[in-house]
Amino acid sequence: MAKTRRWHSLPGGIFLLVLLGILTGCTVREGYGLRETRAPSFDEALWRTGEATLFVAAKGPEQGEADFLIPDLKAKQVMIRLQAVANDPLPVTLRCDGAAKVRILGETNQSMKPGMPVALTLPQWARGAGMLDWTPESGECQLSWGEGYRITLRPESKAAPRISALSQGTLACGAEPGRQLDPLQKVFLDNGAMLQTCPVAPGPVRVLDDPLDGLNARIAALTGRPVSRAELLKGDADMPLDYSNAPKFDLIQISYLHIRADFSGYLTARMLAYHALRGTQVRILVSGILMLKEDRQFYDSLAARYPNIQIQYYRWPGGGTGGTDDLVNHFHRVQHTRAFLALSPQPGRSRYIFGGRNLHDGFFFSSPFDLTDWPYLHTYDESSFQDLGFYSVYEDVELELRGDAAVRNVAQHHLALWNRDADTQTVGPVTVGHTARLSGMRHYLSLPWADGRDQVRWFVDAIDAARQEVLIVTPYLNPPDAIQQAMLRAAGRGVVVRLVARIESTDPSGFIITALNRRYVAENAGRFEIEEYSPEPRMMHTKMMVIDRRLAVMTSTNLDHRAFWHDTENGLVYLDTPQVGQLLRLVESYRQTTRRLGPEEPETAFGQALYSWRWLRSIF
């Protein structure tokens, strides 16, 4: 078994407590970190600063004439990091059609004259990088090195017009004025600060509650056919994949909190490489702070071999040097949206897979595979504790959208998130549409620092609209106060408020999550119907809400402060569609083995202390 970096349980727990003490001690108010930034002006043609990373390997890319697309949509400037994936410094030559600036990070800018080459040496991996400051007048650029290796940097707006056009779609939507709406229709057609697409017919939707079905849906989407369950369970990272029925894609974009260089990650990387080599633009958005060194090396090398694959390792800007709020945000705020998006020009071949799963083996297999035969992969350790090398097994669900209109509807938000402003982390410009449709499916995107935490307000409105039942499935029980009060109001008017929850947590900070969950149960089991779902050996990770059996929300959002106050989140909302019934049947399958909890459930003094420490609760 490959070595894993881990802290033993006691040192790991002490480290976390010390870190949390430092972070919360720096906190100057409850709900830190809210930036009161406005949405970009409708009139600003070039309003944002873009960012990208071009990974460069000493042996060059797989493509002979490789292109790298500059994310120039509405960008007045794009900061392109030039990262060598090499054990030694890498001499390169860079030139651009127009004026630009280039530097090695930490050094002064060097001006580039139009058409004139500039030589620089990129530091070896993890020792620094170069930075190209590109503006629209820079035009195309070319990076060359070694034995004739070359990558052309081209603006996306010119090189990929179909992607660029979809990236400028409607980000928000409201009902046509004058429509008579019932309470849940008003919630569904809400036009608040949180971005929501116009409603569409969901089209064909498949519920992926079986974990191997979830992995196989990705394989079928990218290759054109699934593989057998028996083959998947062998754990052979080099298992054959049949691409004879593979569709053509313009774009594949995946977005997760966590991806790994494990069996499922390697299968996905093989499929992404196949499509990148065919010309597909591939984008990976993931939280950088959760990546082990082994994971980073694997995915950096993948992007270096295939420049059509771009990676954004999300981290809040500022570096923690801009005051206490900035320090906490830099180390704490993460990218929590989920998406497996594949856009094809062929009718019926586009796919969108969304739910709570991340892209690693713990969401698909009950135990880790021994991957020592593949030295570039990482074998995760079931005994690891409080470490990024942990292996936990999760019970979750995803929805697979197959309708072209529905997939493109959702894609607009994910493209906007990819093209966010690097300085403020806002998206836009926000074009607002109007709709006459009173049911269907919408996608929402929550950026709490930019929308005033409007996701909290939306959940409150949904709960306040309930007349019969509020059903919430969640692995975390630490709701913001406004949502807690809305649930109390609902119970007070006779609405059944039922929480199907996971109590015990084996996440890296699980001892804190478990303590908070137990404290919440002790305080609220007499007010709401709280049921514990514990599908051993899996840990329930599903997140959804259903109101009056009419409105259903499948979301990345946990019922905790962190999800509503700090991180990027997204979700699919259904009103009066068959998907509401499908999700209800899934929850009923959970409830076949749930245990009703009462106020007598055991808790700890540690949990009581945590629950009363409002600053600390606002982190989780």
Side-chain angles (χ1 to χ4, degrees):
M1 179 174 288
K3 293 182 179 180
T4 56
R5 300 175 301 167
R6 71 168 182 260
W7 311 312
H8 295 293
S9 58
L10 182 59
I14 293 173
F15 176 86
L16 277 176
L17 286 174
V18 171
L19 177 62
L20 291 171
I22 293 172
L23 294 181
T24 55
C26 293
T27 302
V28 295
R29 65 182 187 279
E30 184 183 84
Y32 57 79
L34 178 63
R35 287 190 176 184
E36 302 294 347
T37 56
R38 64 183 180 86
S41 167
F42 289 41
D43 302 323
E44 291 177 305
L46 302 178
W47 64 273
R48 73 181 185 96
T49 296
E51 59 180 343
T53 301
L54 173 56
F55 295 95
V56 186
K59 294 183 179 180
E62 293 290 326
Q63 296 108 315
E65 294 293 330
D67 286 346
F68 178 88
L69 293 197
I70 300 169
D72 67 320
L73 180 66
K74 303 296 183 183
K76 59 187 177 183
Q77 176 188 16
V78 181
M79 300 179 297
I80 304 174
R81 184 183 178 96
L82 307 173
Q83 179 70 64
V85 182
N87 294 323
D88 299 301
L90 183 63
V92 299
T93 300
L94 181 67
R95 67 169 181 82
C96 294
D97 292 343
K101 293 181 179 179
V102 67
R103 67 186 186 278
I104 300 299
L105 290 179
E107 300 180 6
T108 58
N109 285 329
Q110 183 175 353
S111 295
M112 299 177 60
K113 296 181 180 180
M116 297 298 294
V118 171
L120 64 158
T121 299
L122 303 180
Q124 60 264 50
W125 193 87
R127 298 288 182 88
M131 182 69 76
L132 170 63
D133 293 324
W134 183 93
T135 63
E137 69 175 1
S138 303
E140 290 190 359
C141 300
Q142 191 172 91
L143 188 75
S144 57
W145 72 100
E147 299 178 5
Y149 300 127
R150 183 173 60 214
I151 294 176
T152 302
L153 289 72
R154 306 174 63 199
E156 177 192 302
S157 58
K158 296 180 179 179
R162 282 204 294 261
I163 298 175
S164 184
L166 186 59
S167 299
Q168 300 178 65
T170 300
L171 300 184
C173 192
E176 289 183 345
R179 297 301 298 265
Q180 296 297 313
L181 306 174
D182 67 35
L184 283 181
Q185 287 173 336
K186 290 180 181 178
V187 171
F188 179 68
L189 294 174
D190 175 83
N191 187 26
M194 186 175 68
L195 297 177
Q196 299 197 61
T197 63
C198 285
V200 294
V205 178
R206 185 161 61 126
V207 177
L208 302 170
D209 55 322
D210 180 273
L212 289 187
D213 285 349
L215 179 56
N216 231 337
R218 292 161 168 81
I219 296 172
L222 299 187
T223 69
R225 52 175 49 90
V227 299
S228 72
R229 298 171 69 89
E231 284 297 316
L232 288 175
L233 291 172
K234 291 179 181 178
D236 178 4
D238 290 322
M239 63 181 290
L241 295 173
D242 182 359
Y243 294 99
S244 61
N245 191 40
K248 174 69 175 176
F249 292 111
D250 291 325
L251 173 72
I252 299 170
Q253 183 165 319
I254 63 177
S255 173
Y256 293 102
L257 169 73
H258 205 178
I259 61 176
R260 287 176 167 174
D262 57 8
F263 173 69
S264 56
Y266 185 59
L267 283 184
T268 303
R270 288 174 57 194
M271 295 184 290
L272 297 180
Y274 170 83
H275 286 284
L277 200 58
R278 298 176 78 194
T280 301
Q281 294 302 310
V282 177
R283 298 171 178 177
I284 300 172
L285 175 60
V286 63
S287 294
I289 200 169
L290 296 179
M291 301 286 284
L292 289 176
K293 178 182 178 182
E294 295 89 341
D295 298 326
R296 287 289 292 262
Q297 287 178 327
F298 174 80
Y299 286 99
D300 289 359
S301 298
L302 178 71
R305 291 179 63 196
Y306 304 95
N308 279 358
I309 299 177
Q310 293 197 33
I311 305 175
Q312 289 184 3
Y313 293 114
Y314 182 92
R315 175 168 280 190
W316 187 256
T321 59
T324 55
D325 285 2
D326 182 54
L327 175 66
V328 176
N329 287 332
H330 184 70
F331 288 102
H332 180 67
R333 179 166 279 163
V334 296
Q335 193 296 121
H336 204 250
T337 64
R338 306 294 204 277
F340 188 94
L341 172 69
L343 293 175
S344 174
Q346 300 171 242
R349 303 303 295 269
S350 294
R351 294 290 186 269
Y352 178 71
I353 300 173
F354 168 78
R357 291 187 180 112
N358 288 301
L359 188 59
H360 65 72
D361 286 349
F363 284 89
F364 304 109
F365 300 97
S366 58
S367 60
F369 292 111
D370 182 352
L371 300 171
T372 51
D373 288 341
W374 295 271
Y376 40 85
L377 302 181
H378 187 64
T379 298
Y380 284 84
D381 187 355
E382 289 180 285
S383 65
S384 183
F385 182 84
Q386 310 300 355
D387 180 7
L388 296 182
F390 74 99
Y391 192 92
S392 292
V393 186
Y394 297 94
E395 175 93 355
D396 216 318
V397 63
E398 294 170 300
L399 299 177
E400 181 190 42
L401 308 186
R402 297 185 170 197
D404 291 337
V407 173
R408 278 172 167 72
N409 175 276
V410 169
Q412 296 170 136
H413 277 174
H414 288 290
L415 290 167
L417 183 60
W418 181 266
N419 289 310
R420 66 195 180 279
D421 177 48
D423 296 327
T424 64
Q425 298 294 294
T426 58
V427 303
V430 179
T431 303
V432 179
H434 291 89
T435 182
R437 178 182 284 273
L438 301 182
S439 64
M441 182 198 79
R442 304 182 76 180
H443 179 269
Y444 77 75
L445 178 63
S446 170
L447 306 175
W449 55 86
D451 61 26
R453 303 188 184 115
D454 197 48
Q455 187 183 198
V456 174
R457 192 271 314 164
W458 189 89
F459 268 69
V460 167
D461 286 352
I463 295 168
D464 282 342
R467 295 296 177 263
Q468 300 170 353
E469 180 186 52
V470 174
L471 172 63
I472 297 175
V473 183
T474 178
Y476 295 81
L477 290 169
N478 184 28
D481 290 344
I483 293 177
Q484 173 71 5
Q485 293 304 312
M487 291 193 294
L488 289 172
R489 288 193 298 271
R493 62 179 181 271
V495 173
V496 175
V497 178
R498 178 175 291 118
L499 303 172
V500 178
R502 175 193 85 192
I503 305 304
E504 300 288 335
S505 174
T506 58
D507 285 338
S509 56
F511 67 103
I512 295 178
I513 302 302
T514 300
L516 288 172
N517 286 351
R518 289 201 170 279
R519 175 57 185 163
Y520 185 87
V521 169
E523 188 167 293
N524 292 281
R527 301 166 173 171
F528 313 134
E529 295 184 9
I530 305 179
E531 301 176 8
E532 180 183 21
Y533 178 55
S534 183
E536 300 291 346
R538 296 184 176 274
M539 185 171 60
M540 195 272 285
H541 194 254
T542 307
K543 318 154 206 306
M544 72 171 75
M545 179 173 71
V546 184
I547 305 292
D548 289 351
R549 298 181 171 262
R550 287 185 59 201
L551 184 140
V553 186
M554 172 71 76
T555 180
S556 68
T557 305
N558 292 304
L559 191 65
D560 63 7
H561 287 72
R562 178 170 189 163
F564 285 94
W565 284 6
H566 304 297
D567 300 338
T568 63
E569 304 285 356
N570 66 320
L572 293 175
V573 185
Y574 294 91
L575 179 67
D576 297 332
T577 69
Q579 287 70 46
V580 179
Q582 288 178 291
L583 293 177
L584 281 170
R585 287 190 290 275
L586 174 69
V587 179
E588 286 305 312
S589 72
Y590 286 2
R591 296 189 65 213
Q592 296 301 308
T593 57
T594 57
R595 180 175 70 94
R596 179 73 177 269
L597 303 180
E600 71 283 355
E601 285 295 317
E603 56 172 326
T604 64
F606 178 56
Q608 294 175 359
L610 289 175
Y611 204 79
S612 61
W613 191 0
R614 293 177 65 85
W615 282 352
L616 185 57
R617 281 184 61 204
S618 73
I619 290 179
F620 290 96

